[in-house]
Amino acid sequence: AAGVIQSPRHLIKEKRETATLKCYPIPRHDTVYWYQQGPGQDPQFLISFYEKMQSDKGSIPDRFSAQQFSDYHSELNMSSLELGDSALYFCASTQRVGTNSYEQYFGPGTRLTVT
Amino acid sequence: AQSVTQLGSHVSVSEGALVLLRCNYSSSVPPYLFWYVQYPNQGLQLLLKYTTGATLVKGINGFEAEFKKSETSFHLTKPSAHMSDAAEYFCAVSYGGTSYGKLTFGQGTILTVHP
């Protein structure tokens, strides 16, 4: 079965550089969520998109922006990178399958290292 | 606002022993509750979830959890630990509905299994 795809899997950037992370949801999944997991920490919700519109926003820095495209893939753009941005970035895709039933799968994550 | 508290950042058990990972939540509305497992340098895998209905939920790999509203708990258990269960476990909560995938995670519990 198709899974959530994230690219790249690993990324090394220097301070003040920019990075773009991509997420390809499972086919027919219409919602994408982005999470950031710092070293030894729990995942923190950043932002979500439903049908290509931003649906919710969490603790996402102003230096970050994201969008969902017509093919439902999503990109997280990160500018002016800081050492503290080093983390594992997950995306998850969700699809409603019933009245109160959804299916959601997480991608394998992109490990961003800022040096 | 929602929050999740996992009691015990590290739990150690012997192979074949009972696994009990504790999770308490706070939510202003009936929550959706989840347990995820994360192996080193990997993504999040759903073990089980509670949305509505039966309060005892069975998941993959022999794990189960019971939603106890009166105790605001959703503890994860497995009767007999296996070496392959060694991983980090996250309890998470969401509001459900259109916010199904917006998860608030607990701090995580690292499970160690001794031979």
Side-chain angles (χ1 to χ4, degrees):
Chain A
V4 179
I5 297 171
Q6 290 188 246
S7 69
R9 294 292 309 278
H10 301 273
L11 190 58
I12 300 175
K13 292 286 186 177
E14 295 186 355
K15 282 173 53 177
R16 293 179 289 277
E17 285 192 319
T18 61
T20 297
L21 280 53
K22 298 182 180 182
C23 171
Y24 297 87
I26 292 172
R28 295 183 301 280
H29 279 204
D30 53 18
T31 306
V32 169
Y33 296 83
W34 285 96
Y35 289 85
Q36 177 192 57
Q37 185 179 25
Q41 298 182 11
D42 56 287
Q44 295 289 318
F45 169 72
L46 291 178
I47 195 167
S48 63
F49 292 88
Y50 169 69
E51 285 289 346
K52 293 155 280 183
M53 299 289 290
Q54 180 181 309
S55 54
D56 211 335
K57 196 172 183 179
S59 50
I60 183 170
D62 292 339
R63 300 178 288 108
F64 294 7
S65 64
Q67 57 183 323
Q68 186 178 32
F69 294 85
S70 58
D71 64 351
Y72 292 97
H73 95 272
S74 179
E75 295 184 3
L76 178 65
N77 298 292
M78 311 160 70
S79 63
S80 303
L81 287 169
E82 303 174 355
L83 296 178
D85 296 330
S86 296
L88 193 56
Y89 290 84
F90 291 108
C91 76
S93 73
T94 305
Q95 176 68 20
R96 183 173 182 171
V97 296
T99 304
N100 281 308
S101 182
Y102 295 79
E103 62 176 22
Q104 180 178 35
Y105 294 93
F106 277 82
T110 293
R111 183 168 295 282
L112 172 66
T113 302
V114 181
T115 63
Chain B
Q2 298 176 308
S3 66
V4 178
T5 301
Q6 292 183 236
L7 300 175
S9 58
H10 290 80
V11 170
S12 180
V13 300
S14 299
E15 191 173 20
L18 171 71
V19 175
L20 171 60
L21 304 183
R22 300 178 187 273
C23 173
N24 288 88
Y25 70 90
S26 171
S27 178
S28 56
V29 299
Y32 283 20
L33 294 159
F34 308 81
W35 275 100
Y36 281 88
V37 62
Q38 185 176 33
Y39 296 95
N41 298 312
Q42 293 189 28
L44 295 164
Q45 181 181 14
L46 180 67
L47 280 177
L48 48 79
K49 64 183 178 184
Y50 169 79
T51 54
T52 58
T55 57
L56 182 62
V57 180
K58 295 186 183 299
I60 62 172
N61 302 338
F63 285 94
E64 63 181 38
E66 186 171 10
F67 170 57
K68 292 187 176 180
K69 183 178 179 180
S70 61
E71 298 177 9
T72 61
S73 68
F74 191 57
H75 302 330
L76 181 71
T77 61
K78 181 175 180 177
S80 177
H82 192 273
M83 296 295 290
S84 62
D85 294 327
E88 187 162 18
Y89 293 79
F90 290 96
C91 181
V93 62
S94 83
Y95 285 116
T98 56
S99 296
Y100 175 89
K102 182 184 176 184
L103 302 173
T104 298
F105 287 88
Q107 305 91 325
T109 298
I110 295 173
L111 176 66
T112 303
V113 182
H114 296 288

